[in-house]
Amino acid sequence: MTQTAIDLTTDSRAAIADALNQSVAETAVTTMLAQNFHWNVTGMAFGPLHELFQNIYEDHFTAQDDLAERIKALDAHAEGTLAGMLKRSKVTEHDGTASDKEMIEAMLDAQETLASTLAGCGELAAGHGDTLTEDLCISRGQTHEKFAWFLRSHLR
């Protein structure tokens, strides 16, 4: 049965919010990763990569807010500390010192991680009847898979 946030049980809201906080954490770390690579990319593909990394961090900045607002709609706490996000995230920081190919590979891995995390979050939400969170996760997951495709195309 499909339910809105207010109709979900307290335990359901807590479980979904925890999965969403994982998604926010990984999105936040990936946002900074993309901005770092945007600042530091060099090489023959500078122009297109500089622009792609900017498109990624601008998209992800908005996505963090969308995910966190869904957490708040579930009447839960949205993790807002960098330390908490870094601790929770499966995406790791990078100092930005890398070749353009290494940056692409790191960003590709981050996009694939995010798509997987969001797919899991969407499945969890669907299992609790929360189709609104499921829809958000599907949409975000599709975006991350699209960015992964763009990045993968640079490596072929």
Side-chain angles (χ1 to χ4, degrees):
M1 178 166 112
T2 299
Q3 302 181 66
T4 60
I6 196 70
D7 297 321
L8 296 167
T9 67
T10 302
D11 288 344
S12 292
R13 286 194 315 267
I16 296 164
D18 186 57
L20 284 167
N21 268 311
Q22 179 72 35
S23 300
V24 170
E26 290 175 8
T27 303
V29 173
T30 304
T31 302
M32 193 65 233
L33 184 68
Q35 192 163 36
N36 188 357
F37 289 167
H38 168 79
W39 292 332
N40 290 297
V41 69
T42 59
M44 291 298 294
F46 168 80
L49 288 176
H50 185 74
E51 182 178 352
L52 177 57
F53 293 144
Q54 181 174 350
N55 290 341
I56 291 171
Y57 76 71
E58 288 175 349
D59 169 82
H60 290 21
F61 185 79
T62 301
Q64 293 172 65
D65 196 49
D66 292 342
L67 294 163
E69 286 176 353
R70 184 63 189 159
I71 293 167
K72 296 309 296 177
L74 293 167
D75 198 31
H77 178 75
E79 172 65 54
T81 68
L82 294 176
M85 290 179 190
L86 285 168
K87 183 176 180 181
R88 182 186 285 263
S89 179
K90 291 179 275 183
V91 177
T92 58
E93 286 187 299
H94 192 289
D95 69 6
T97 304
S99 70
D100 53 355
K101 183 178 179 191
E102 291 166 335
M103 289 178 179
I104 294 166
E105 289 169 344
M107 185 57 61
L108 173 58
D109 183 59
Q111 295 302 318
E112 290 173 341
T113 298
L114 272 163
S116 176
T117 295
L118 284 155
C121 184
E123 287 177 15
L124 176 72
H128 288 280
D130 182 1
T131 57
L132 299 177
T133 298
E134 179 188 20
D135 182 66
L136 174 61
C137 292
I138 289 169
S139 175
R140 288 303 316 154
Q142 290 171 338
T143 298
H144 294 295
E145 285 200 334
K146 185 175 180 179
F147 280 131
W149 162 51
F150 289 174
L151 292 156
R152 199 175 298 107
S153 293
H154 280 274
L155 298 174
R156 293 191 174 154

